[in-house]
């Protein structure tokens, strides 16, 4: 996380695609207070090498003042933003006012980067609606409970989106933010441009702010495939199925259907992720050009 921060901290346009991020507590406390900002905003202190939500602490600004300054590079500190919450159509139930992240995937090959249209949302698995002033990590971190978090999949096969939320817009906003953030991919773009046989699969996590803009939180190398398969095997072989799948009803797109934890989730999601890897292989082996793969959107260089 600290290495990623180094790639955008001195570029205001690129940095605007990410939350306000700082390398030290001193920098975080010196950050300007926005007009619409709450009096005692929250900050996320993240272990630079942490994954799966581990090692993240949520503190108020007043609490940050008493924190001991860590060694440079050990952590990054991100200021909270006004996030959009996911809701069901009736304003109650399993999706009512839950904080969520969107996991998206990028394929980098031949000096070009592509956003894959297969994405999914993960939302906080709590018994209460989201409170933006709550420092409880169960309220703030959709990834904390790795084996029992909820998912909403976005196949993006059409242009119509639900009235209850607008995932097509979210995808387009993520693409727009990644165009701003493209300089953070320079090392991978240069490596794959110089070696046509090289390639990379990168995942990112994004949140949607109240204006509908996508904010990129972080990247993950070759994300989740081995861990996901371990959980799938445990579910299928031992019946330890925790995750739930939520799908959009095609006949009534503004409503949701919530299934019980089951092995079917893993079979569905495995096929969903397989599409991403399949498109990667087709592109790397040059069996198809990028314009022949409709699930790929190129992350182009930003034009002034």
């Amino acid at each position: 996380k600290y290495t990623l921060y180094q790639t955008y901290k001195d570029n205001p346009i690129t940095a605007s695609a990410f939350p306000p991020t700082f390398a030290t507590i001193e920098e975080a406390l010196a950050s300007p207070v926005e007009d619409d900002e709450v009096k005692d905003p929250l900050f996320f202190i993240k272990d630079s090498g942490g994954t799966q939500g581990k090692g993240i602490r949520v503190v108020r600004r007043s609490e940050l003042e008493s924190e001991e300054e860590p060694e440079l590079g050990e952590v990054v500190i991100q200021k909270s933003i006004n996030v959009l919450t996911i809701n069901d159509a009736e304003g109650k139930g399993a999706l009512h006012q839950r904080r969520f992240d969107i996991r998206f995937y990028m394929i980098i090959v031949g000096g070009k980067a592509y956003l894959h249209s297969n994405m999914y949302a993960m939302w906080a698995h709590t018994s209460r609606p989201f409170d933006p002033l709550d420092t409880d990590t169960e309220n703030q971190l959709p990834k904390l409970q790795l084996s029992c978090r909820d998912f909403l999949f976005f196949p993006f096969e059409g242009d119509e989106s639900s009235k209850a939320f607008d995932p097509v817009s979210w995808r387009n906003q993520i693409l727009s933010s990644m165009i701003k953030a493209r300089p953070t991919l320079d090392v991978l773009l240069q490596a794959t441009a110089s070696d046509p046989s090289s390639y990379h699969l990168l995942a990112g996590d994004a949140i949607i702010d109240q204006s509908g803009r996508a904010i990129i939180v972080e990247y993950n190398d070759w994300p989740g495939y081995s861990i996901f398969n371990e959980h799938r095997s445990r579910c299928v072989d031992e019946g330890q199925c925790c995750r739930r799948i939520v799908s959009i009803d095609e006949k009534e797109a503004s409503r949701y259907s919530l299934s019980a934890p089951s092995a079917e989730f893993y079979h569905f999601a495995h096929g969903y992720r397989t599409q991403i890897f399949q498109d990667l292989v087709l592109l790397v082996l040059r069996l198809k050009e990028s314009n022949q793969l409709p699930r790929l959107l190129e992350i182009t260089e930003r034009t002034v």
Side-chain angles (χ1 to χ4, degrees):
K1 294 179 179 63
Y2 179 75
T3 301
L4 173 61
Y5 167 66
Q6 292 292 102
T7 66
Y8 65 76
K9 69 182 181 70
D10 296 322
N11 185 327
I13 293 176
T14 303
S16 70
F18 297 86
T21 306
F22 313 95
T24 67
I25 292 174
E26 182 180 3
E27 290 176 358
L29 292 174
S31 61
V33 178
E34 303 297 334
D35 293 338
D36 60 347
E37 192 172 293
V38 297
K39 184 178 180 180
D40 198 10
L42 302 186
F43 287 83
F44 293 76
I45 303 176
K46 300 183 177 183
D47 186 332
S48 185
T51 60
Q52 301 170 13
K54 297 176 181 177
I56 297 178
R57 293 189 296 120
V58 186
V59 300
R60 302 181 188 280
R61 188 186 189 283
S62 56
E63 297 169 330
L64 190 63
E65 295 174 350
S66 61
E67 289 279 334
E68 183 177 346
E69 191 75 75
E71 292 291 329
L72 187 64
E74 283 187 356
V75 303
V76 294
I77 304 165
Q78 293 183 329
K79 184 184 286 188
S80 64
I81 63 171
N82 295 324
V83 298
L84 191 70
T85 57
I86 195 166
N87 297 275
D88 63 11
E90 299 177 354
K92 59 184 179 181
L95 299 182
H96 181 46
Q97 294 183 10
R98 295 294 187 269
R99 186 191 186 282
F100 70 100
D101 288 359
I102 297 175
R103 167 59 56 90
F104 62 94
Y105 295 86
M106 295 174 284
I107 295 172
I108 302 173
V109 59
K112 294 185 177 181
Y114 302 92
L115 175 69
H116 201 283
S117 286
N118 279 13
M119 306 177 184
Y120 61 86
M122 305 170 287
W123 66 90
H125 194 89
T126 66
S127 58
R128 60 189 186 279
F130 174 71
D131 178 356
L133 301 180
D134 186 359
T135 59
D136 186 346
T137 51
E138 288 190 10
N139 179 56
Q140 294 284 354
L141 303 180
K143 296 182 184 179
L144 185 66
Q145 299 185 25
L146 179 65
S147 62
C148 295
R149 65 190 180 201
D150 294 308
F151 289 80
L152 178 64
F153 284 84
F154 306 144
F156 293 124
E157 294 179 353
D159 294 329
E160 296 297 325
S161 60
S162 166
K163 296 177 182 178
F165 59 92
D166 191 358
V168 173
S169 173
W170 298 346
R171 175 199 60 183
N172 295 338
Q173 287 295 325
I174 289 173
L175 178 62
S176 177
S177 291
M178 279 309 308
I179 289 173
K180 293 179 182 178
R182 192 176 186 274
T184 64
L185 306 177
D186 278 351
V187 171
L188 296 176
L189 291 168
Q190 293 166 10
T192 58
S194 61
D195 181 1
S197 65
S198 64
Y199 55 90
H200 206 87
L201 179 65
L202 198 65
D205 293 327
I207 52 181
I208 308 297
D209 71 11
Q210 289 286 348
S211 70
R213 184 171 61 108
I215 305 295
I216 310 302
V217 178
E218 62 185 27
Y219 300 149
N220 296 278
D221 285 329
W222 293 95
Y225 276 84
S226 60
I227 293 175
F228 185 85
N229 287 334
E230 290 174 8
H231 281 285
R232 183 181 62 154
S233 298
R234 189 182 307 150
C235 172
V236 174
D237 298 339
E238 303 175 22
Q240 297 182 19
C241 305
C242 294
R243 304 186 187 193
R244 294 180 290 179
I245 176 173
V246 178
S247 59
I248 302 172
D249 187 333
E250 294 180 359
K251 295 181 180 179
E252 195 172 351
S254 64
R255 300 184 65 85
Y256 300 93
S257 174
L258 182 63
S259 72
S262 68
E264 282 72 18
F265 165 83
Y266 291 89
H267 294 304
F268 176 90
H270 182 68
Y272 194 83
R273 291 180 177 217
T274 298
Q275 287 181 338
I276 299 170
F277 201 78
Q278 180 185 54
D279 288 341
L280 168 66
V281 171
L282 291 173
L283 198 60
V284 169
L285 296 182
R286 300 182 182 178
L287 297 176
K288 285 191 176 182
E289 298 296 326
S290 60
N291 59 9
Q292 296 175 301
L293 297 170
R295 289 186 287 262
L296 296 186
L297 303 170
E298 185 175 354
I299 302 170
T300 57
E301 289 189 64
R302 183 177 179 274
T303 56
V304 179

